[in-house]
Amino acid sequence: MISTDTSIKLIAFDMDGVILRNRNSWEKALSGIYGAGGNRNYAFQSISRHGKKFHVPPGLELRSYIENSFDARDVTYDFHLMADFLSYTGIKSVIISAGVINYARKLSETYHLDDYVANDVMDYRGELKFIRHVDPDRKDLNLDLYLKKFGLKKCEAISIGDSLADYSMRKSSAFFIAFNPVDARLLSLADATAYNFSEVIHIIRAINNISRGESFGTPISD
């Protein structure tokens, strides 16, 4: 149930699988160095939890390589509609991702999002070390910081993700949209489901119309 005093002023996006069609940006960034496929799993959760070690090849400037591995063709095809919507409505937007911070920065700059946070790596004595800025299972903690930064309330935020880990943002937002969800269990938890950004825009318009007591046509969810 959506409260009638809800008015969305902040959108928190997951990056992998939402803004980027690729669901694992660390795999995209690191597979060129260490190879792809097989039993390799470059997800932040897997590497950080299991203590896997990766040696940085001599002469490789790690961060520059990762920066250059970004592929603009991976951006979800209609995200530009979301960027335009944010621009003319003035709704603030942030990326909260356990993915590659270089990618989050590029997306934020290209689409004029208000802020971003994601995880990083460094070359420490020839070994790849992760720098954690986002706990994949506690993204609500990052969202809490953004609410304070922008002076907003939980009831003024909406979060968007494709996995159960992203659902942690629901603790700090009024509403959660499952975007092209990877796990069917997310369908039963989310407040609504969308498969493109045109649908997301419709949902947000509907919520804000409810808050102003306006009619909005078709229901946003069953």
Side-chain angles (χ1 to χ4, degrees):
M1 177 63 71
I2 305 169
S3 170
T4 56
D5 63 357
T6 297
S7 181
I8 301 303
K9 298 179 181 178
L10 172 67
I11 303 175
F13 298 99
D14 175 45
M15 180 172 66
D16 297 2
V18 177
I19 301 178
L20 297 179
R21 285 173 282 191
N22 186 18
R23 295 189 187 274
N24 183 356
S25 59
W26 282 116
E27 180 175 4
K28 195 170 186 67
L30 299 179
S31 61
I33 303 174
Y34 302 110
N39 295 321
R40 299 178 180 89
N41 185 348
Y42 300 122
F44 177 87
Q45 298 95 312
S46 176
I47 294 176
S48 61
R49 288 174 181 169
H50 301 298
K52 295 181 180 179
K53 292 185 178 182
F54 293 88
H55 295 288
V56 179
L60 178 71
E61 213 306 307
L62 182 63
R63 283 179 168 154
S64 293
Y65 171 84
I66 290 174
E67 186 83 14
N68 293 330
S69 70
F70 178 80
D71 186 352
R73 293 171 298 181
D74 191 33
V75 178
T76 302
Y77 77 96
D78 67 341
F79 186 69
H80 65 282
L81 298 177
M82 191 79 237
D84 290 344
F85 176 75
L86 293 169
S87 177
Y88 70 72
T89 60
I91 295 174
K92 294 190 176 298
S93 56
V94 297
I95 296 172
I96 300 177
S97 174
V100 179
I101 197 166
N102 311 68
Y103 293 8
R105 182 185 304 116
K106 281 182 176 287
L107 291 166
S108 182
E109 292 172 352
T110 301
Y111 293 98
H112 307 291
L113 307 184
D114 291 281
D115 210 341
Y116 62 90
V117 62
N119 291 323
D120 200 358
V121 291
M122 64 180 295
D123 181 347
Y124 179 74
R125 297 180 178 178
E127 189 174 315
L128 185 150
K129 295 289 186 183
F130 272 96
I131 303 170
R132 182 193 294 264
H133 300 300
V134 177
D135 182 335
D137 297 319
R138 291 302 311 273
K139 293 183 178 182
D140 56 299
L141 300 178
N142 299 95
L143 184 49
D144 283 339
L145 293 175
Y146 281 122
L147 291 174
K148 291 178 182 178
K149 176 178 179 177
F150 296 123
L152 299 175
K153 301 175 183 178
K154 172 181 174 178
C155 66
E156 297 174 314
I158 189 169
S159 49
I160 304 173
D162 70 314
S163 72
L164 287 172
D166 300 323
Y167 190 70
S168 63
M169 291 191 288
R170 181 63 173 82
K171 299 174 184 176
S172 300
S173 58
F175 203 76
F176 180 87
I177 298 175
F179 190 94
N180 193 21
V182 66
D183 193 320
R185 290 175 293 173
L186 193 59
L187 294 170
S188 63
L189 295 171
D191 299 291
T193 302
Y195 294 92
N196 56 59
F197 281 105
S198 294
E199 294 175 352
V200 171
I201 291 169
H202 175 71
I203 291 168
I204 295 168
R205 285 187 182 280
I207 295 170
N208 283 355
N209 284 344
I210 289 173
S211 73
R212 293 189 293 268
E214 301 171 9
S215 62
F216 57 86
T218 57
I220 61 174
S221 62
D222 293 332

